[in-house]
Amino acid sequence: MGKKIKVGLIGAGRIGRMHAENINAHFGDVELKAIADIYAEKIKDWAYGICVNHVYEDYKKIIEDPEIDAVLICSSTDTHCQLIIESAKAGKQIFCEKPIDFDLDRIKKALEEVRRAGVKLQIGFQRRFDPHFRKAKKLIDEGRIGDIHIIRITSRDPEPPPIEYVKVSGGIFLDMTIHDFDMARFLSGSEVEEVFAYGAVMIDQAIGEVGDIDTAVVNLKFKNGAIAVIDNSRKAVYGYDQRVEVFGSQGCLRVENVSSSNVVMSTSEGIISDKPKHFFIERYHDAYIKELREFFDSIINDEEPSVTGRDGLEPVIIGLAAQKSLEEGRPVRIER
Amino acid sequence: MGKKIKVGLIGAGRIGRMHAENINAHFGDVELKAIADIYAEKIKDWAYGICVNHVYEDYKKIIEDPEIDAVLICSSTDTHCQLIIESAKAGKQIFCEKPIDFDLDRIKKALEEVRRAGVKLQIGFQRRFDPHFRKAKKLIDEGRIGDIHIIRITSRDPEPPPIEYVKVSGGIFLDMTIHDFDMARFLSGSEVEEVFAYGAVMIDQAIGEVGDIDTAVVNLKFKNGAIAVIDNSRKAVYGYDQRVEVFGSQGCLRVENVSSSNVVMSTSEGIISDKPKHFFIERYHDAYIKELREFFDSIINDEEPSVTGRDGLEPVIIGLAAQKSLEEGRPVRIER
Amino acid sequence: MGKKIKVGLIGAGRIGRMHAENINAHFGDVELKAIADIYAEKIKDWAYGICVNHVYEDYKKIIEDPEIDAVLICSSTDTHCQLIIESAKAGKQIFCEKPIDFDLDRIKKALEEVRRAGVKLQIGFQRRFDPHFRKAKKLIDEGRIGDIHIIRITSRDPEPPPIEYVKVSGGIFLDMTIHDFDMARFLSGSEVEEVFAYGAVMIDQAIGEVGDIDTAVVNLKFKNGAIAVIDNSRKAVYGYDQRVEVFGSQGCLRVENVSSSNVVMSTSEGIISDKPKHFFIERYHDAYIKELREFFDSIINDEEPSVTGRDGLEPVIIGLAAQKSLEEGRPVRIER
Amino acid sequence: MGKKIKVGLIGAGRIGRMHAENINAHFGDVELKAIADIYAEKIKDWAYGICVNHVYEDYKKIIEDPEIDAVLICSSTDTHCQLIIESAKAGKQIFCEKPIDFDLDRIKKALEEVRRAGVKLQIGFQRRFDPHFRKAKKLIDEGRIGDIHIIRITSRDPEPPPIEYVKVSGGIFLDMTIHDFDMARFLSGSEVEEVFAYGAVMIDQAIGEVGDIDTAVVNLKFKNGAIAVIDNSRKAVYGYDQRVEVFGSQGCLRVENVSSSNVVMSTSEGIISDKPKHFFIERYHDAYIKELREFFDSIINDEEPSVTGRDGLEPVIIGLAAQKSLEEGRPVRIER
């Protein structure tokens, strides 16, 4: 076995910590050398428990460490572009959580720095690595359902995020639907030309009061002719609903929910199956591992990551167009 | 048992013949006295076989027969309004296949005659009588899923109709989607305020050449806030796809396809289930019987039919708005 | 269309009445001329309502009517053999409900009379005509799952019959499991060589007090090597459970329950599907129609019925062996 | 965090290696200090790769290492009893793969040594830790399906093991069905009183030539009245089939197969779902982790392991009775 890849993680909230634990549990060829977090004191216990050598308050110690090959950016969205640029300039390979940013110009500038530095950048759209969606993609690519006509994506959360989070989330389209925009691009293999969105506050007026919506239906027209329909809700009482259907000239693929168990109970009340796995950490457990595995493999094999900077940019473009469509009550063409 | 209801049937094509056979097989209290069809000679064999007394070429013999209580109008769409008006003036109870007409003014005039004559008029939206959709409606009405947020309707035919039919069908929205508009109204219990439609020719260029489309996605905004999304295709290679999903504040209802059998075969190729029942005659067999049963019961009990003239009018209004939306590339408000 | 087949029905309890109504509703080429029932007065209302010409107390009026082509025997089991013999001697075609009798010698004597008279005899194992089981049989016959290794049959009633019925039913093996013995023979295409049965009273002590059991597991060894396992219960709180699985060298077939609707409701409690169709009248509605259709077709085409006298005899042989196995606590060889 | 539990692993074939990798990946509080294997040279590469400190040829180095708290016995069955006895005498906590042995006296002697030494012994029936079966067990224990009447277990391998393995496997009942005997005990919460087995060679004559069978149906009668039926095959062409059904007075639980993906493809051929996960390593991945977790927790908390020595003994008793039943063609009472 060759030298281990040395990694620094910036931002160790829920998602950052999950990545850290996955590296420790699953990747014998990767060493998580350091974590930087503004609440460094709070995370030391678990961080040292999984053999991290250094816990810093200042992320620059990671970027300036010449031993560190790759940086995982899991801090808040407003810091992403700055961290990408600094990491790129330091020659680090970069994994960055979604969304890159809410501002197209800032994103483009960051991607430009990445290009100039010749480093890799993978964006954290983990659903592409989910074995179920990946199987669907494989069948599509093999031509098993022919040309794609209609894509339907259902994405509903079990409960709304805290209102403090909603305020800074960038709105439902950039926070939640962005995954579905990515999934639609991934499955269709084409680019969006036009967006039409309906949306409303149906669940919690507080969400409306901070200027967001909690229920949405978004239509996408793709360059290759396919039409996608996404429906979102911030609250499905039966749990995290993550389904995809792709209808084509030769057949139809459905990706059904993953249940928390395969037990079916028949009683005088009916035939009762288990609810979907609770939320994204459980539902996409395997996917989160696989996305990092592919990131590290792209470094080892010096290949393009499978979710590129452009894959990070496009869903933001679509999300902003959806927002405009909602506000103006009309379909919005994507200008690139 | 009291006196039998005496019925005359006008137009004995595929759907008319099916109604005739259903009356003979299932309704001991109804007598199909006469059938009128412009190809009277061709239908005599089977008509006399199911105990019909008279087969006419001229429908007026039915309308003028004082013994006949009710008329079933199953002739081509362009004849519906005229036949409704003549039947109403003759004091007959009326069952009429969908759509009533493609022209709103003609429909309104016919409904006005029905109102004036004080006769009953039921429109042939048979899906409302399907036991599966009806069960869903019952659960909604009982409040089991709370307030309705999103309705998703998938309606895909196994194969396109003959091009000669497409030419006179009124277009996909008035011929095919009209059932889905009705279903959306039925399930939501509300009226459509705005329509947005995407559509394209993806299956057969010949359909495009006669000015129609074969693939469509239609969004509906309802007065009560619900949003509906309908997707249609003229050709699903796996068969007649008829699914509905209603998502609400307290749960979600799905009506799945009805399979042609419950046999599941596991082989080295995979786990293989049967395809949906082939097409509307098989899929809605029970529904067609139940819709006539309710029509006759509404006569016996002197009650309002469960699918009224207005229920016949509204989907045409929505269909024309969808057509306008498609042509103008913008959402269209419904004006009433 | 040729002359109608004229039919007389003997015994118009629940199952007899169902057959009468099915003939009226579905078979234009069959005339139910007369019904005989010891409670003739009670049934006249509905019988005349479905166009039956004669309602007799004395069944001999049917057997002696030279116009009547076929007799349907739906009276109590103890009368079957006598009625078969009289009908055969009168040259009638015979349909007889299951079981023919509880006594092998009496059955053999009746079958001998049928043979001598050269009339047809079909036994009422309606499950063979169920479209789901028939599809499974077709796939087996096409070799889709190769050689049969294991057959599993689950057959559970929604609730026990009245205790008065249990007393005269012949015991669970001859009353209930007899259908499963027939199904096992039908699917395996082979004959049973050995039987081993476990059984107990688990549901209602009253059943035990009249000498019967309410729960059973029966193993069958077939001449072709296949092994079948049947499990029975007189009470499944979730409804009528009718499943079959056939495992072979090239695959496995499952026939799943038929739900009373295809509606799936997702709530905070779980994902809830509908229970199976309530009981045999609903579950095997289509099968009951098809079995009579095939009986009449075998008359019209002068062919062997698809469920013969021997098919009526064998399950009784197996049932008596199962009873012996239960009593003696050992596997019992079938001697023929 | 306290001191890590130090573990030695004896026997690093497929299952031993899997446990080693699971310890490394998932248990921060456990250190796999040493592995002993007669092919020590062959395993060094991967062993050192997962941070094992010592790789020995001689297992005694593990037993004699005073630092080692617990021993995992994953060597061939014939060595289990000897290793249990030596480990117990050395005061080690013991995890041992199934079956303990094929000889009841040897097993009892080993269990006696464990008892005398006061160490823990957990047997490797991993299916009890599978989240699906565990959920079923939980629902049973909560009384959700009332009293248990019938248990059905289907356990079919995707392909037979190599014939060399079959020769030393102890026969299908002690090698394969033993898991199902354990599952039946686990779910019923009762002990087996009588066994009746049917079996045959249907798949591969070579299996018969070495004195084993490849297809079996086993009936179990439990002290609490429940009846269990197990069916086994060494070759299911559609993959590893692992289903359980528990029928009780208040309902029925089914544990369905776990698919390799949730993708459903509808084509002109049918509706095609994915096959079950390939074999036990994939299917019981989570279960294998959980069983070790519970073993280590029982050490940490000084509690009885959840699968005890007696749980290891009983299925061997049942398996030997099944073998006798098969040979003598009669039900066999369990004498304890």
Side-chain angles (χ1 to χ4, degrees), chain A residues 300-311:
Chain A
I300 292 167
N301 305 318
D302 194 16
E303 291 168 347
E304 178 84 339
S306 50
V307 190
T308 65
R310 189 184 165 199
D311 294 324

PDB file of all heavy atoms in Angstrom, chain A residues 300-311:
ATOM      1  N   ILE A 300      -6.087   9.746  -6.454  1.00  0.00           N
ATOM      2  CA  ILE A 300      -5.127   8.645  -6.652  1.00  0.00           C
ATOM      3  C   ILE A 300      -4.877   8.395  -8.134  1.00  0.00           C
ATOM      4  O   ILE A 300      -3.740   8.237  -8.572  1.00  0.00           O
ATOM      5  CB  ILE A 300      -5.666   7.363  -5.963  1.00  0.00           C
ATOM      6  CG1 ILE A 300      -5.654   7.550  -4.445  1.00  0.00           C
ATOM      7  CG2 ILE A 300      -4.846   6.133  -6.363  1.00  0.00           C
ATOM      8  CD1 ILE A 300      -6.432   6.506  -3.672  1.00  0.00           C
ATOM      9  N   ASN A 301      -5.964   8.389  -8.914  1.00  0.00           N
ATOM     10  CA  ASN A 301      -5.846   8.072 -10.340  1.00  0.00           C
ATOM     11  C   ASN A 301      -5.690   9.306 -11.223  1.00  0.00           C
ATOM     12  O   ASN A 301      -5.700   9.199 -12.447  1.00  0.00           O
ATOM     13  CB  ASN A 301      -7.072   7.279 -10.795  1.00  0.00           C
ATOM     14  CG  ASN A 301      -7.284   6.042  -9.948  1.00  0.00           C
ATOM     15  OD1 ASN A 301      -6.322   5.344  -9.614  1.00  0.00           O
ATOM     16  ND2 ASN A 301      -8.523   5.781  -9.566  1.00  0.00           N
ATOM     17  N   ASP A 302      -5.611  10.459 -10.581  1.00  0.00           N
ATOM     18  CA  ASP A 302      -5.531  11.724 -11.306  1.00  0.00           C
ATOM     19  C   ASP A 302      -6.583  11.836 -12.411  1.00  0.00           C
ATOM     20  O   ASP A 302      -6.272  12.018 -13.592  1.00  0.00           O
ATOM     21  CB  ASP A 302      -4.114  11.907 -11.891  1.00  0.00           C
ATOM     22  CG  ASP A 302      -3.929  13.359 -12.349  1.00  0.00           C
ATOM     23  OD1 ASP A 302      -4.737  14.231 -11.953  1.00  0.00           O
ATOM     24  OD2 ASP A 302      -2.975  13.615 -13.114  1.00  0.00           O
ATOM     25  N   GLU A 303      -7.803  11.671 -12.007  1.00  0.00           N
ATOM     26  CA  GLU A 303      -8.918  11.764 -12.949  1.00  0.00           C
ATOM     27  C   GLU A 303      -9.848  12.904 -12.555  1.00  0.00           C
ATOM     28  O   GLU A 303      -9.853  13.350 -11.411  1.00  0.00           O
ATOM     29  CB  GLU A 303      -9.746  10.463 -12.918  1.00  0.00           C
ATOM     30  CG  GLU A 303      -9.005   9.276 -13.509  1.00  0.00           C
ATOM     31  CD  GLU A 303      -9.724   7.966 -13.207  1.00  0.00           C
ATOM     32  OE1 GLU A 303     -10.634   7.977 -12.355  1.00  0.00           O
ATOM     33  OE2 GLU A 303      -9.351   6.960 -13.815  1.00  0.00           O
ATOM     34  N   GLU A 304     -10.671  13.299 -13.502  1.00  0.00           N
ATOM     35  CA  GLU A 304     -11.713  14.303 -13.229  1.00  0.00           C
ATOM     36  C   GLU A 304     -12.692  13.732 -12.196  1.00  0.00           C
ATOM     37  O   GLU A 304     -13.131  12.591 -12.323  1.00  0.00           O
ATOM     38  CB  GLU A 304     -12.445  14.594 -14.548  1.00  0.00           C
ATOM     39  CG  GLU A 304     -13.588  15.581 -14.450  1.00  0.00           C
ATOM     40  CD  GLU A 304     -13.093  17.027 -14.535  1.00  0.00           C
ATOM     41  OE1 GLU A 304     -11.872  17.285 -14.265  1.00  0.00           O
ATOM     42  OE2 GLU A 304     -13.893  17.884 -14.864  1.00  0.00           O
ATOM     43  N   PRO A 305     -13.041  14.472 -11.165  1.00  0.00           N
ATOM     44  CA  PRO A 305     -14.065  13.983 -10.231  1.00  0.00           C
ATOM     45  C   PRO A 305     -15.408  13.823 -10.964  1.00  0.00           C
ATOM     46  O   PRO A 305     -15.643  14.481 -11.980  1.00  0.00           O
ATOM     47  CB  PRO A 305     -14.166  15.092  -9.182  1.00  0.00           C
ATOM     48  CG  PRO A 305     -12.949  15.918  -9.336  1.00  0.00           C
ATOM     49  CD  PRO A 305     -12.530  15.793 -10.769  1.00  0.00           C
ATOM     50  N   SER A 306     -16.254  12.968 -10.454  1.00  0.00           N
ATOM     51  CA  SER A 306     -17.511  12.712 -11.166  1.00  0.00           C
ATOM     52  C   SER A 306     -18.559  13.797 -10.918  1.00  0.00           C
ATOM     53  O   SER A 306     -19.570  13.834 -11.604  1.00  0.00           O
ATOM     54  CB  SER A 306     -18.058  11.336 -10.800  1.00  0.00           C
ATOM     55  OG  SER A 306     -18.081  11.183  -9.407  1.00  0.00           O
ATOM     56  N   VAL A 307     -18.363  14.663  -9.957  1.00  0.00           N
ATOM     57  CA  VAL A 307     -19.243  15.829  -9.799  1.00  0.00           C
ATOM     58  C   VAL A 307     -18.354  17.063  -9.800  1.00  0.00           C
ATOM     59  O   VAL A 307     -17.680  17.355  -8.815  1.00  0.00           O
ATOM     60  CB  VAL A 307     -20.056  15.776  -8.489  1.00  0.00           C
ATOM     61  CG1 VAL A 307     -21.124  16.865  -8.498  1.00  0.00           C
ATOM     62  CG2 VAL A 307     -20.703  14.417  -8.293  1.00  0.00           C
ATOM     63  N   THR A 308     -18.374  17.765 -10.912  1.00  0.00           N
ATOM     64  CA  THR A 308     -17.391  18.833 -11.134  1.00  0.00           C
ATOM     65  C   THR A 308     -17.900  20.190 -10.658  1.00  0.00           C
ATOM     66  O   THR A 308     -19.043  20.320 -10.205  1.00  0.00           O
ATOM     67  CB  THR A 308     -17.105  18.957 -12.634  1.00  0.00           C
ATOM     68  OG1 THR A 308     -18.323  19.394 -13.252  1.00  0.00           O
ATOM     69  CG2 THR A 308     -16.684  17.625 -13.230  1.00  0.00           C
ATOM     70  N   GLY A 309     -17.017  21.181 -10.808  1.00  0.00           N
ATOM     71  CA  GLY A 309     -17.400  22.545 -10.492  1.00  0.00           C
ATOM     72  C   GLY A 309     -18.605  22.993 -11.297  1.00  0.00           C
ATOM     73  O   GLY A 309     -19.514  23.635 -10.780  1.00  0.00           O
ATOM     74  N   ARG A 310     -18.644  22.606 -12.554  1.00  0.00           N
ATOM     75  CA  ARG A 310     -19.791  22.991 -13.371  1.00  0.00           C
ATOM     76  C   ARG A 310     -21.063  22.345 -12.835  1.00  0.00           C
ATOM     77  O   ARG A 310     -22.145  22.937 -12.869  1.00  0.00           O
ATOM     78  CB  ARG A 310     -19.559  22.573 -14.823  1.00  0.00           C
ATOM     79  CG  ARG A 310     -20.637  23.167 -15.700  1.00  0.00           C
ATOM     80  CD  ARG A 310     -20.580  22.767 -17.136  1.00  0.00           C
ATOM     81  NE  ARG A 310     -21.835  23.118 -17.754  1.00  0.00           N
ATOM     82  CZ  ARG A 310     -22.279  22.620 -18.878  1.00  0.00           C
ATOM     83  NH1 ARG A 310     -21.523  21.754 -19.536  1.00  0.00           N
ATOM     84  NH2 ARG A 310     -23.443  22.981 -19.360  1.00  0.00           N
ATOM     85  N   ASP A 311     -20.923  21.122 -12.359  1.00  0.00           N
ATOM     86  CA  ASP A 311     -22.083  20.457 -11.742  1.00  0.00           C
ATOM     87  C   ASP A 311     -22.525  21.174 -10.470  1.00  0.00           C
ATOM     88  O   ASP A 311     -23.666  21.019 -10.024  1.00  0.00           O
ATOM     89  CB  ASP A 311     -21.741  18.994 -11.407  1.00  0.00           C
ATOM     90  CG  ASP A 311     -21.508  18.153 -12.655  1.00  0.00           C
ATOM     91  OD1 ASP A 311     -22.194  18.379 -13.661  1.00  0.00           O
ATOM     92  OD2 ASP A 311     -20.631  17.280 -12.617  1.00  0.00           O
TER      93      ASP A 311
END
